[in-house]
Amino acid sequence: MDNTQLAKEYLHKAIENQIDGNLNEAQTYCRLSLEASESSEAHTHLGWIFSINGEYEEAIEECLKAIKLDKDFGNPYNDIGSYLVMLNREEEAITWFERASRAPKFKQKYLAYTNLAQIYKKLNDWEKALHFFKEAFTDNPGYKPARKGYYKILALCN
């Protein structure tokens, strides 16, 4: 088995352990994955594990490593934005969510749009909040939080 395949298997085991709530094992498997073959996905997932433990600065560092490996992978941009929000640094997070929304390899752009909308809502910038909620449910029509957020702001504006 080559290192890339081994790294993927370790990452799969990391995800399974994280889902089962075994964060120490998940972290171990992420590190094994990175040792076998460094990947942006493994760094991003390790960051996610750090964030579950409230270690947001460490999570951000892992995401930055992921971005260095693959600038087109959108997940670490969105995750950094989320971690900055958790650190009450919303205005800093805006740039990261914008980058996520433009990343070629990010399938959940609606998450970045919704995150932007939530920040602008908190900043009382209703126009931008409406814009990004609409972008979110245009990207994913079935994503109810975006649609609900949009109509809630519309109701407040009337």
Side-chain angles (χ1 to χ4, degrees), residues 4 17 24 29 31 49 54 64-65 81 93 149 156-158:
T4 303
N17 276 281
N24 289 335
Y29 280 114
R31 292 187 189 284
I49 293 167
L64 290 171
K65 291 175 187 177
L156 291 171
C157 292
N158 288 328

Side-chain angles (χ1 to χ4, degrees), residues 3-157:
N3 284 356
T4 303
Q5 186 59 36
L6 183 60
K8 287 179 183 180
E9 286 193 24
Y10 283 139
L11 183 57
H12 180 72
K13 287 182 180 185
I15 293 167
E16 285 178 345
N17 276 281
Q18 188 271 321
I19 290 168
D20 291 340
N22 303 322
L23 298 182
N24 289 335
E25 289 85 359
Q27 190 175 96
T28 298
Y29 280 114
C30 271
R31 292 187 189 284
L32 288 169
S33 176
L34 289 165
E35 287 175 19
S37 181
E38 195 174 19
S39 71
S40 57
E41 292 84 359
H43 278 297
T44 302
H45 194 76
L46 183 56
W48 192 22
I49 293 167
F50 281 133
S51 76
I52 292 168
N53 290 322
E55 299 169 8
Y56 300 113
E57 295 296 340
E58 292 84 352
I60 290 169
E61 287 302 315
E62 288 301 320
C63 288
L64 290 171
K65 291 175 187 177
I67 292 166
K68 281 184 183 178
L69 291 173
D70 186 353
K71 292 182 184 345
D72 291 341
F73 185 49
N75 297 60
Y77 296 105
N78 192 67
D79 290 357
I80 289 173
S82 296
Y83 305 148
L84 290 169
V85 168
M86 297 304 292
L87 292 167
N88 295 313
R89 293 161 51 188
E90 286 88 355
E91 291 190 33
E92 245 182 286
I94 290 171
T95 300
W96 293 99
F97 291 133
E98 288 174 344
R99 289 178 182 172
S101 73
R102 293 188 304 267
K105 291 171 26 183
F106 188 47
K107 295 178 184 173
Q108 301 93 10
K109 293 183 190 296
Y110 63 94
L111 294 175
Y113 294 137
T114 302
N115 289 327
L116 283 164
Q118 294 291 357
I119 290 173
Y120 285 117
K121 179 181 169 188
K122 187 174 182 179
L123 296 173
N124 294 319
D125 188 333
W126 307 116
E127 187 176 327
K128 284 185 179 177
L130 283 171
H131 168 76
F132 285 111
F133 275 132
K134 187 172 184 181
E135 288 289 323
F137 71 74
T138 299
D139 185 59
N140 181 349
Y143 191 57
K144 291 179 184 176
R147 193 170 292 279
K148 285 175 74 175
Y150 179 83
Y151 287 112
K152 188 172 187 176
I153 291 175
L154 272 183
L156 291 171
C157 292

